[in-house]
Structures are given as structure tokens and as C-alpha cells.
Amino acid sequence: MEAVDDRSVTDLFKEEFKRYKRRKPLPDFSDVLDFSLQSPLIKAHVLDDDIAGNEAVHRLCRNRGLRPADSWKIFEVPSHPGFYYIVDPFQSGYHRHWVRRCLSGYPHLPNVSNLDAHIPDRPSALWDDALRHRELNAQTWLSNESLIQRLRWVTLGYHYDWTNKVYCKEKVSPMPGDVDELCGVMAKVLRLDTFKAEAGIVNFYHLDSTLSGHTDHSEFDLTAPLFSISFGQDAIFLLGGHDRSTRPLAMFVRSGDAMVMSGASRMAYHSVPRV
């Protein structure tokens, strides 16, 4: 048996994370992949004919505030097989709809949030509670001490145990139907037809927030794809390999854009070093 000294392996993922996180001096963003521009690193994904002209699929898209699937701009990254990037497929006005759901819908009990461990009697409707505080004091309703400002994450469906890094089959709340349907439409368009959303995490990022490099390896089915949909500020997303010695690819993520990690990219390291 041959022993390997892991300390000799350069952590290129961490290097890139720290580079893009840096505030002073600002990093060079010229090499960040921008899906609104042409690049030799990406290629357009071509829909199958039975998806592009499928009225049933178009109807599903309309029902979830999406434009017809044959108008979507979908890209693949050949260096990361199984990764798909969908450039804002939403109809006009639907960013606000989904932001409203994230703030005023998904934090409701029995969904679990980062606040619950510290505030066991926290109000279920956090956004409504914030609006009531605004009526009492317009200057402090969004202060750093307000609950809505302290909200960092909400888990849906099967809830994640952040201490033991596992999902709990005993701790589950109903998966929001609109989330399941939204991801289901995207899965159908990409021919990932067997996908069904059973767990989700809504992350609330501030302008100084980051998400450290990690792999999603706690789910019950590690072959099921990951869906990530962003609303709000632009961010930088790092997509790496199956270990931290692979230098990650940096890309801009903008409001309404969706990323799907399936196949070989399903277990890739990824992070958000900057918003």
C-alpha cells in the first residue's frame, strides 16, 4: 500500500476562491466567463425536436412564468460534461414573483431556517413581521438586528442537518409545488425527465456574503442533478473538478439565470466567492 501526503497537493480551488473574494486590490475579472458573450469555452445546447416543438412543454413553461423552451439560451461547458447554464428563461416580471416567494413564502414554518436554533418562537411570516416593524419605525426595520436581515437560509422538503452534514428522512416538510414544477420543467427541457425535487435550500446572500467551496454529497440520490436558480445581484460562481487540485472555472451569474449540475459535473466542487 502506498501512502500519499495530501499536503503536497496544491489547493487550486482555494487559491481561486481567495482571489475572487479579495476586496483590496480588486481581482482581475477579465477571465471570468460571461455567457452573454461568445467564448471558445462554451457551446450552445440544441434542444431535441420533440422538446422544441412540444406544446405541452410550452404550456408547462407558461404556467411557471417561463418563456417558451425553444427561445431559451442554453449553454454547455465541454470541460465540465453534464453542466448546463440557462440564461434567464423567465417572462417579464417573474423575477419579482420568485423573489417574493423566497422572502414571504418559503421562510414560513414548518420550513427550517438558520434563525430557528436561536429564536425558537420566531414568527412564521418573517416578511410580514418586517413590514409591521416598518410601520412602527421606518429607520430600523431593515437594521442588522432585524430578523429578515439575519435570515441566511431556509431548507425545504427534507431538511439538512448542518451539524452532522446529512439530510434527515425523519425531518421533512412538504416540498413547495411551484419549486418542484419549476425544476421539473427545466429537467424535462434538458431530458433529465426522471427528476423530482425532494429537498432544497434557499440561500439569502448579502453583498459581503460568500459560499465556500464544497461538493453536494449528502443527498439520498447522488445521481439526481442539482438545480441552482439565482435572483438579485450578480455573483461569481466557481465550478471545479472532483478534487480541490483542479483549478475552477469562474463565471458570472446574473438574476434569473439557472445552472444545472448533472452527470460528471454532479459531484464537482463549486462555490460563490463574491456577490
Side-chain angles (χ1 to χ4, degrees):
M1 183 173 66
E2 182 179 354
V4 177
D5 184 357
D6 288 335
R7 292 174 297 179
S8 65
V9 177
T10 302
D11 190 339
L12 295 178
F13 195 99
K14 185 176 182 179
E15 285 185 8
E16 291 296 272
F17 181 88
K18 292 173 66 175
R19 178 163 77 95
Y20 285 111
K21 180 183 177 183
R22 191 177 67 222
R23 299 288 168 172
K24 293 182 180 180
L26 286 174
D28 180 7
F29 299 114
S30 62
D31 57 350
V32 179
L33 183 61
D34 188 335
F35 285 91
S36 68
L37 304 174
Q38 291 186 342
S39 169
L41 300 177
I42 62 178
K43 71 173 185 178
H45 175 75
V46 179
L47 296 183
D48 291 347
D49 290 341
D50 62 333
I51 293 292
N54 191 318
E55 179 55 35
V57 173
H58 294 339
R59 185 166 56 252
L60 290 172
C61 289
R62 288 194 299 271
N63 291 343
R64 289 275 63 93
L66 298 165
R67 292 183 282 104
D70 55 7
S71 70
W72 295 7
K73 294 181 179 179
I74 308 174
F75 296 96
E76 300 176 31
V77 180
S79 61
H80 294 76
F83 177 80
Y84 300 96
Y85 193 100
I86 307 173
V87 177
D88 187 11
F90 292 91
Q91 299 175 31
S92 176
Y94 270 84
H95 289 206
R96 294 175 66 90
H97 166 80
W98 288 104
V99 169
R100 186 180 303 113
R101 289 288 289 143
C102 290
L103 287 170
S104 65
Y106 303 141
H108 280 215
L109 299 170
N111 295 334
V112 178
S113 80
N114 63 293
L115 300 173
D116 298 354
H118 311 287
I119 310 172
D121 58 346
R122 63 102 167 168
S124 179
L126 290 173
W127 184 248
D128 292 343
D129 182 69
L131 294 180
R132 283 193 292 271
H133 279 78
R134 183 178 66 173
E135 294 176 359
L136 297 173
N137 192 326
Q139 276 69 49
T140 63
W141 78 290
L142 283 181
S143 70
N144 289 336
E145 297 305 312
S146 67
L147 294 182
I148 201 69
Q149 283 284 57
R150 293 164 61 187
L151 183 64
R152 291 296 183 270
W153 53 260
V154 170
T155 55
L156 313 172
Y158 287 105
H159 298 297
Y160 189 65
D161 182 336
W162 297 89
T163 301
N164 297 308
K165 308 297 184 185
V166 295
Y167 280 94
C168 304
K169 289 189 176 182
E170 299 78 21
K171 296 180 180 179
V172 59
S173 58
M175 190 71 189
D178 55 357
V179 175
D180 182 29
E181 291 174 13
L182 178 62
C183 295
V185 173
M186 293 183 177
K188 190 172 187 64
V189 169
L190 294 172
R191 305 314 301 252
L192 302 170
D193 301 81
T194 61
F195 177 82
K196 180 173 177 56
E198 295 182 327
I201 301 176
V202 183
N203 289 309
F204 298 88
Y205 292 92
H206 293 227
L207 290 178
D208 59 352
S209 295
T210 62
L211 178 67
S212 298
H214 67 284
T215 62
D216 288 88
H217 56 266
S218 301
E219 291 74 19
F220 302 135
D221 181 2
L222 297 182
T223 65
L226 302 175
F227 288 78
S228 176
I229 305 169
S230 299
F231 296 103
Q233 297 286 342
D234 294 354
I236 290 179
F237 179 79
L238 298 183
L239 178 64
H242 290 175
D243 59 59
R244 303 180 71 92
S245 66
T246 301
R247 186 178 300 279
L249 178 66
M251 60 189 75
F252 287 115
V253 179
R254 297 190 167 90
S255 186
D257 293 352
M259 297 179 290
V260 182
M261 298 171 64
S262 68
S265 75
R266 168 61 177 80
M267 296 298 294
Y269 275 87
H270 54 283
S271 72
V272 178
R274 192 182 196 92
V275 176

